[in-house]
């Protein structure tokens, strides 16, 4: 890696050549991914008429996260920048296979491509986290992760609508080509980065199983990281409960059509964009545990407010959820990047990502079952209380 210079905290990120290119790559590829994510479900639904198959498109992209600790080891075995270039250009090529999908009997191609898509995404996320940790001054990592959150959430606000419109006008093949173009452009942007990486030691960590296990042990043995990842996991579990209850809130609580959920998610995304911009200044004034605890507390209060049967309250809760939820995720990933040795950072960041995001699916399943048995209000009240307990735990226990 190149030597880290003394950069000013305020403008150091955007003045850094490699950081600018990386953020540009995140914006470009994030736009294509968000557009493809929605269009894939619409595509499968239109070809098969099946709601369940359409829902499985999300699962196909998400499933590889469950083996994140294994996939993250790839990012520790090779140089990260070339890996990002190869993965992005490879995905650009693979997405062209979707041009062959023109009937229900070829829908399997969509699922195969999406599964590889998700697998490559896990590997690239691990490589990106490790690469940027070696590029930036550690004091700027929190601000950078906040800007990355802003970029990702901003694309989620715009790209799905663009993808749906493009699909409606030209079909799924054009959306696939758009996504392929964004991957190709991101690969070129990563290729322009000037970072120089040492060759990883092939013997580091032993075999694949030993290397993966070592990453898990490193995460458990790092006191500054372990509680933040644990709090993020619990918070994402509760976010899943909230996600399962949102349709009941809109229907039973507000008496609105299901389409109103889209408004709530747009407002929630705006809250996430805002906190991403503020993360850097806040992390310079608060310790990571304090920043995470404050975010979880805002999330908890927002869940309680969501149970009120008023439009203004539910809209305000959407802003609060969007602003509070990312705080613990940003703090946890910043701690991982700062505390974990570079040689292990790929597998440890992938392990942390799996532990943080996998509970969301569990929460969705539990919430769906709970909503079938009761109303949304007691579910949201329970989730709010558990979130407040999580925030309290972060402030009470320093290790």
């Amino acid at each position: 890696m190149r030597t880290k210079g003394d950069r000013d905290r305020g403008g150091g990120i955007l003045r850094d050549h490699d950081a600018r290119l990386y953020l540009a790559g995140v914006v470009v590829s994030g736009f294509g991914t968000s557009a493809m994510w929605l269009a894939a479900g619409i595509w499968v639904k239109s070809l098969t008429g099946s709601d369940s198959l359409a829902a499985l498109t999300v699962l196909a992209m998400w499933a590889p996260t469950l083996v994140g600790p294994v996939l993250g080891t790839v990012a520790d075995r090779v140089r990260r920048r070339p890996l990002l270039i190869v993965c992005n250009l490879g995905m650009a090529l693979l997405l062209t296979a979707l041009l062959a999908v023109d009937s229900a009997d070829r829908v399997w191609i969509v699922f195969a491509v999406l599964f590889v898509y998700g697998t490559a995404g896990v590997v690239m996320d691990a490589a990106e986290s490790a690469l940027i940790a070696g590029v930036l001054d550690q004091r700027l990592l929190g601000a950078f992760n906040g800007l990355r959150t802003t970029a990702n959430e901003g694309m989620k606000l715009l790209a799905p609508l663009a993808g749906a419109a493009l699909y409606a006008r030209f079909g799924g093949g054009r959306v696939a080509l758009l996504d392929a173009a964004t991957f190709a452009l991101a690969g070129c942007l990563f290729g322009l980065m000037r970072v120089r990486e040492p060759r990883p030691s092939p013997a580091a960590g032993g075999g694949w199983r030993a290397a993966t296990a070592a990453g898990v042990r490193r995460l458990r043995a790092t006191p500054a990281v372990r509680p933040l990842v644990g709090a993020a996991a619990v918070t994402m579990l509760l976010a899943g409960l909230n996600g399962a209850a949102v349709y009941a809130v809109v229907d039973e609580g507000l008496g609105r059509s299901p389409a109103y959920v889209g408004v709530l998610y747009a407002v929630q995304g705006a809250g996430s964009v805002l906190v991403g911009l503020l993360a850097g200044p806040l992390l310079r004034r608060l310790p990571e545990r304090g920043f995470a605890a404050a975010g979880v507390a805002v999330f908890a209060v927002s869940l309680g407010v969501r149970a009120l049967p008023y439009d203004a309250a539910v809209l305000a809760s959407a802003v609060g959820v969007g602003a509070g939820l990312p705080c613990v995720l940003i703090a946890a990933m910043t701690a991982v990047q700062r505390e974990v040795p570079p040689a292990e950072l790929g597998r440890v960041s992938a392990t942390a990502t799996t532990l943080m995001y996998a509970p969301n699916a569990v929460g969705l399943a539990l919430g769906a079952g709970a909503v079938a048995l009761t109303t949304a209000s007691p579910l949201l009240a329970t989730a709010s209380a558990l979130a407040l307990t999580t925030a309290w735990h972060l402030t009470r226990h320093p290790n």
Side-chain angles (χ1 to χ4, degrees), residues 22-23 25-31 33-34 125 128 144-160 269 272-273 357:
Y22 174 81
L23 282 172
V26 168
V27 170
V28 168
S29 62
F31 184 90
T33 296
S34 296
D125 281 347
E128 289 170 2
F144 178 86
N145 287 326
L147 287 177
R148 182 182 178 182
T149 297
T150 294
N152 283 329
E153 293 300 325
M155 290 305 99
K156 289 177 184 178
L157 291 175
L158 302 174
S272 296
V273 169
Y357 286 95

Side-chain angles (χ1 to χ4, degrees), residues 32-340:
T33 296
S34 296
M36 192 67 211
W37 167 73
L38 179 60
I42 299 173
W43 197 358
V44 169
K45 167 67 175 177
S46 66
L47 289 176
T48 66
S50 171
D51 291 327
S52 60
L53 285 177
L56 285 176
T57 58
V58 179
L59 177 61
M61 294 179 70
W62 178 86
T65 306
L66 295 176
V67 290
V70 177
L71 295 174
T73 303
V74 176
D76 291 334
R77 294 299 182 98
V78 297
R79 289 190 176 100
R80 279 82 181 239
R81 187 176 70 97
L83 177 62
L84 288 173
I85 296 170
V86 169
C87 284
N88 276 279
L89 296 182
M91 283 306 305
L93 181 62
L94 179 64
L95 280 163
T96 61
L98 294 177
L99 296 175
V101 179
D102 57 5
S103 59
D105 61 349
R106 292 189 175 182
V107 161
W108 67 269
I109 299 176
V110 176
F111 287 100
V113 170
L114 291 179
F115 183 80
V116 178
Y117 200 122
T119 301
V122 173
V123 174
M124 287 192 288
D125 281 347
E128 289 170 2
S129 295
L131 181 65
I132 206 64
V135 169
L136 282 179
D137 188 310
Q138 289 189 352
R139 295 170 297 177
L140 298 176
L141 287 173
F144 178 86
N145 287 326
L147 287 177
R148 182 182 178 182
T149 297
T150 294
N152 283 329
E153 293 300 325
M155 290 305 99
K156 289 177 184 178
L157 291 175
L158 302 174
L161 295 177
L166 187 63
Y167 175 86
R169 180 68 178 85
F170 298 106
R174 295 295 179 90
V175 182
L177 289 178
L178 170 65
D179 199 10
T182 62
F183 270 114
L185 181 54
C188 293
L189 290 170
F190 290 132
L192 293 174
M193 293 177 71
R194 298 169 182 164
V195 61
R196 290 179 295 177
E197 303 175 81
R199 184 182 298 275
S201 171
W208 285 92
R209 181 178 298 179
T212 302
V216 175
R217 288 195 300 270
R218 170 67 68 178
L219 186 61
R220 294 179 58 188
T222 308
V225 173
R226 185 178 61 247
L228 283 168
V229 172
V234 173
T235 305
M236 289 302 291
L237 173 71
L238 301 177
L241 296 178
N242 171 62
V246 67
Y247 285 99
V249 168
V250 168
D251 180 21
E252 300 169 6
L254 302 181
R256 289 185 173 270
S257 70
Y260 193 70
V261 172
V263 176
L264 296 183
Y265 277 127
V267 174
Q268 180 175 318
S272 296
V273 169
L274 176 62
V275 82
L277 293 172
L278 296 175
L282 289 173
L283 281 169
R284 288 197 292 272
R285 291 165 174 79
L286 295 172
E288 286 161 0
R289 296 279 295 267
F291 177 69
V296 176
V298 170
F299 172 72
V301 172
S302 299
L303 292 183
V305 171
R306 177 160 288 190
L308 300 176
Y310 306 108
D311 285 281
V314 174
L315 287 170
S317 76
V319 176
V321 168
L325 184 58
C327 293
V328 66
L329 302 174
I330 292 170
M333 190 51 65
T334 301
V336 168
Q337 291 171 319
R338 191 189 65 248
E339 298 290 335
V340 175

